């Protein structure tokens, strides 16, 4: 009976249509705004994650704001020498064993001046020292156009088309990296083995040079550290200077040595002329600044990051987990704040509209003071009147919410169908694509219905309380 009466009151009042249309328009605008901003966020994230940041990174502990490029503390921050991850092998093995992880790769990061071998066409660059094919397997946005990635243990570099054009080089050319080392300079050379392109180009991507980790470590002055498990020394060698030996002094090692009055000359035997075979150190170094992690499709990045953080705390490893945005540093933060500024502007405009909607709902109930007084005079209880008013508000707002979401979906359909192509480089970076594609998510729909429910409650509580304070006699006589 309550629902039937409330529905009858809504239909019979002419103001109901105006209220529904106004709320529908506001919800539709809010739906479209959220769709646009969610699309830009998803576009930029997908582009960065598939190009160089991964879903998240593992980095050494630091008191400063650090990205893949180094210290990026606002105002005073600058590119600095990065620490290496310790213990790299244990952390990497633990990550690979997680069922949510698709793959990992180590990275050495630094800044250098890149130039052609003859010293021409110089350009600043961010140097990423990584294993060639494993890195490309994780970065799906990178498409090789010419050449092939360098093999493990080989010297080589891969350039995007924009950097290759700046330097005037191609596959087979030699480039040089120059880094300042106090009063001196370090110069290292590498052969260009591949030229590639990013699916969605960003200006910052044009400064990346992917090179082998050996060249990167040598250029940036990072010592090679090998796993103790991959190279075993004999027990005699490891105990040479142990406490179990009876040497009281370093000179005791040479007690049995004696001097010769003349040089000892020995004819070279065929066996001695043979090349001495020396066991090489393993090529797998554990000196890395970062571990880049990619997750399997459909995984919740935040949940996996929390899981990895708990694992790190449990083992006491001196490392941190950072999401893709912090990995990208200032290159992504300014896009993030631009979207926030736009979003705040939309919210302010819509907030003004919702205030008007709420006032309309309030006035709608206050104008019924005489009706409420009459109902109380014939025996209606306060609870019944309150529930009736609340039901009417819910009918108005929920109906408006459904219509607003439908209108928003129709609007996004036409926007996508129009296939709006972006030519401005900033807009391409902002949307993470060269064409606008918007969509309404389930999370947006939930937020919108939560918003209209809040509107229904705000437009019900205050006016009903005031209307119920008026006595039935005063209400019938026309009190407001």
């Amino acid at each position: 009976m309550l629902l039937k009466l409330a529905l009858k009151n809504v239909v019979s009042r002419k103001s109901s249509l105006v209220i529904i249309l106004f709320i529908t328009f506001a919800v539709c605008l809010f739906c479209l705004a959220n769709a646009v901003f969610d699309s830009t966020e998803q576009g930029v994230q997908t582009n960065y994650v598939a190009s160089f940041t991964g879903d998240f990174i593992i980095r050494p502990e630091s008191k400063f704001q650090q990205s893949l490029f180094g210290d990026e503390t606002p105002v005073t921050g600058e590119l600095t020498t990065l620490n290496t991850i310790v213990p790299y092998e244990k952390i990497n093995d633990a990550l690979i064993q997680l069922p949510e992880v698709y793959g990992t790769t180590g990275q050495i990061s630094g800044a250098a001046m890149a130039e052609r071998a003859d010293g021409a066409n110089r350009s600043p660059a961010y140097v990423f020292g990584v294993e060639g094919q494993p890195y490309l397997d994780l970065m799906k946005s990178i498409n090789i156009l010419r050449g092939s990635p360098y093999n493990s243990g080989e010297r080589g570099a891969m350039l995007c088309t924009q950097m290759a054009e700046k330097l005037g080089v191609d596959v087979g050319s030699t480039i040089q990296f120059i880094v300042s080392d106090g009063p001196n300079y370090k110069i290292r050379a590498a052969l260009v083995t591949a030229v590639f392109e990013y699916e969605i180009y960003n200006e910052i991507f044009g400064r990346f040079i992917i090179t082998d980790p050996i060249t990167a470590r040598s250029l940036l002055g990072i010592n090679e550290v090998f796993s103790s498990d991959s190279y075993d020394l004999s027990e005699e060698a490891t105990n040479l200077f142990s406490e179990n030996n009876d040497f009281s002094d370093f000179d005791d090692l040479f007690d049995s040595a004696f001097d010769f009055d003349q040089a000892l000359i020995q004819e070279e035997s065929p066996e001695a002329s043979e090349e001495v075979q020396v066991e090489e150190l393993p090529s797998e170094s554990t000196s890395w600044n970062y571990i880049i992690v990619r997750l399997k499709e459909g995984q919740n990045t935040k949940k996996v990051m929390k899981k990895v953080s708990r694992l790190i705390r449990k083992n006491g490893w001196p490392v941190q987990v950072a999401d893709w945005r912090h990995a990208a540093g200032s290159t992504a933060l300014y896009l993030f704040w631009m979207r926030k500024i736009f979003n705040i502007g939309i919210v302010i405009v819509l907030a003004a509209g919702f205030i008007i909607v709420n006032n309309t709902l309030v006035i709608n109930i206050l104008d019924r003071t005489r009706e409420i007084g009459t109902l109380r005079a014939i025996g209606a209880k306060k609870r019944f009147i309150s529930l009736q008013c609340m039901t009417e508000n819910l009918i108005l707002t929920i109906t408006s919410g459904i219509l607003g979401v439908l209108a928003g979906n129709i609007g996004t359909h036409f926007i996508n169908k129009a296939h709006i192509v972006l030519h401005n480089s900033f807009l391409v970076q902002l949307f993470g694509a060269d064409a606008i594609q918007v969509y309404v998510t389930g999370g947006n729909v939930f937020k919108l219905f939560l918003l209209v429910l809040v509107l229904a409650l705000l437009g019900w509580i205050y006016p009903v309380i005031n209307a119920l304070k008026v006595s039935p006699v005063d209400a019938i006589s026309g009190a407001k």
Side-chain angles (χ1 to χ4, degrees), residues 44-90:
V44 172
Q45 180 177 351
T46 301
N47 191 22
Y48 274 68
V49 165
S51 297
F52 78 104
T53 65
D55 290 289
F56 63 89
I57 65 170
I58 306 296
R59 63 188 182 188
E61 282 186 341
S62 174
K63 297 180 180 179
F64 307 102
Q65 181 177 317
Q66 246 186 38
S67 70
L68 285 173
F69 312 112
D71 180 8
E72 290 199 344
T73 306
V75 182
T76 59
E78 58 182 9
L79 292 170
T80 57
T81 302
L82 303 176
N83 295 324
T84 56
I85 290 179
V86 179
Y88 171 81
E89 275 194 327
K90 292 182 179 179

Side-chain angles (χ1 to χ4, degrees), residues 126-203:
Y126 296 116
V127 179
F128 291 166
V130 296
E131 295 291 349
Q133 192 58 52
Y135 184 79
L136 296 181
D137 290 341
L138 300 185
M139 303 306 165
K140 303 297 183 181
S141 176
I142 298 177
N143 301 314
I144 299 291
L145 299 179
R146 299 183 295 278
S148 59
Y150 48 81
N151 297 320
S152 179
E154 292 182 352
R155 299 294 182 98
M158 296 185 287
L159 282 65
C160 67
T161 54
Q162 291 77 11
M163 178 60 76
E165 291 174 0
K166 285 181 185 178
L167 300 181
V169 297
D170 207 333
V171 175
S173 304
T174 299
I175 60 173
Q176 295 181 159
F177 301 104
I178 305 173
V179 171
S180 173
D181 184 17
N184 303 317
Y185 290 92
K186 289 183 180 179
I187 301 177
R188 299 292 183 271
L191 185 70
V192 178
T193 64
V195 175
F196 62 87
E197 67 175 359
Y198 293 98
E199 287 185 4
I200 303 297
Y201 177 70
N202 188 310
E203 288 185 3

Side-chain angles (χ1 to χ4, degrees), residues 37 40 325 332-345 426-427 430:
F37 287 114
T40 59
R325 194 187 306 282
L333 286 175
Y334 82 96
L335 295 177
F336 171 76
W337 286 113
M338 284 301 297
R339 286 197 301 275
K340 285 295 183 185
I341 292 171
F342 287 147
N343 209 353
I344 290 171
F426 174 76
L427 292 178
L430 185 63

Side-chain angles (χ1 to χ4, degrees), residues 309-322:
S309 296
R310 289 195 297 268
L311 182 64
I312 289 172
R313 289 195 298 269
K314 179 181 178 181
N315 289 277
W317 293 327
V319 294
Q320 300 170 327
V321 182

